[in-house]
Amino acid sequence: MEFADIYKDKLHNIDTEGRSEKYSDDDIFPYEPTPYSVLERLVDSGIIDEDSHVIDYGSGMGRTCLYLAEKTGCRCTGIECIDEFYQASLKNLSEKDLKVEFVKCSVEDYPLPDDSDVMYFFNPFSEEIFKQVIDNIIDSYHKNPREIKLLFYYPSDEYIAFLMRVDEITFFDEIDCTDLFDEETSRNRIMIFLL
C-alpha cells in the first residue's frame, strides 16, 4: 500500500490494508483496494451523485463504498463473499453515518435492488463468474428498465472482450488514470459502459 493510501485510511478512520492473496484461487482474485487517487478521480468525474445506488462487486474491506458514499452522498452496497473481509468492512462502517450496506454472499447469488444504477468492478473474480453477474444485471434491467452504468477499474482484456459482444451493453467513456502511477499501462483507467 502506498503511503498516501495508508494516510487516507487513517484520515477516514478505517483499515483497508494492502494486497492479500490469502483467499485467492481460480475464481476469486487477490484482494486489493482501489487506490484513493483513482476514487478521487471517479468522484471528480461526476458519474456518481447523491441519487446513485452503487453496487461494489467484491467490496473487500469496504474502501470504495465508504469513500464514494462520504464524498458523493450516494447509496452504496458492497458485496463480499469472504467472511474476514466482510467483517472488516462492518468494522470500518461502524459509527459512520453513511448510506452504506455490506452484504455477505456470492456475487452470482446477489439479487440486485430495483434502484441500483451503478455497478463497480476492480477485477474481483474470474470471467466465468463475471458472465453470470452480467447476466444478472441484464435480467434486473429487463425487470426494471433504467440506465445502468458499469464501471471497470483496471479492466482485464477478458472482461472487455466479453462486454463488447453483449448486445445490450455499449461502451460510453473512460476515465484516464495513467498519470497517477509510475507503471505505464493502458489498464490504469476506469472504463464506463451503459446498459
Side-chain angles (χ1 to χ4, degrees):
M1 180 183 283
E2 292 193 23
F3 178 76
D5 283 354
I6 294 170
Y7 171 76
K8 288 185 179 172
D9 258 12
K10 290 191 183 309
L11 185 68
H12 294 283
N13 195 28
I14 63 174
D15 182 7
T16 54
E17 299 182 23
R19 182 179 168 89
S20 172
E21 298 189 24
K22 186 175 179 180
Y23 300 101
S24 62
D25 58 25
D26 290 343
D27 287 324
I28 299 172
F29 298 160
Y31 166 75
E32 184 175 6
T34 303
Y36 280 105
S37 57
V38 171
L39 294 174
E40 289 166 2
R41 189 142 301 166
L42 176 55
V43 166
D44 291 345
S45 75
I47 284 280
I48 297 170
D49 61 31
E50 64 183 9
D51 296 325
S52 300
H53 182 181
V54 179
I55 306 297
D56 179 11
Y57 284 97
S59 57
M61 297 181 197
R63 178 189 290 180
T64 297
C65 281
L66 295 167
Y67 188 83
L68 293 177
E70 179 184 322
K71 296 298 182 181
T72 68
C74 74
R75 180 174 168 207
C76 194
T77 304
I79 312 306
E80 180 56 56
C81 68
I82 297 170
D83 189 60
E84 181 180 333
F85 297 153
Y86 169 71
Q87 295 300 329
S89 67
L90 293 179
K91 183 178 178 186
N92 286 326
L93 176 60
S94 67
E95 299 179 29
K96 291 182 177 40
D97 185 22
L98 299 170
K99 296 184 289 185
V100 172
E101 172 189 22
F102 293 108
V103 177
K104 183 179 177 280
C105 76
S106 65
V107 293
E108 312 95 307
D109 296 332
Y110 178 67
L112 272 173
D114 287 344
D115 67 341
S116 58
D117 60 351
V118 178
M119 312 299 157
Y120 183 82
F121 300 85
F122 178 13
N123 293 329
F125 35 74
S126 68
E127 185 181 1
E128 181 179 323
I129 293 174
F130 177 67
K131 288 177 181 179
Q132 292 174 40
V133 169
I134 293 298
D135 284 345
N136 291 346
I137 294 169
I138 291 171
D139 287 347
S140 174
Y141 168 80
H142 287 303
K143 289 176 189 166
N144 181 38
R146 64 211 184 269
E147 182 179 84
I148 296 177
K149 299 170 190 153
L150 305 167
L151 309 180
F152 300 91
Y153 171 60
Y154 211 86
S156 72
D157 293 338
E158 293 80 14
Y159 278 22
I160 300 307
F162 172 72
L163 291 168
M164 295 295 195
R165 294 190 305 269
V166 178
D167 291 338
E168 295 95 337
I169 296 174
T170 56
F171 173 73
F172 176 68
D173 201 359
E174 70 179 52
I175 301 168
D176 184 18
C177 299
T178 55
D179 61 311
L180 300 174
F181 305 96
D182 293 334
E183 173 192 21
E184 290 195 26
T185 173
S186 63
R187 290 180 70 186
N188 274 319
R189 60 188 168 157
I190 299 171
M191 292 189 75
I192 304 164
F193 290 79
L194 297 180
L195 176 62

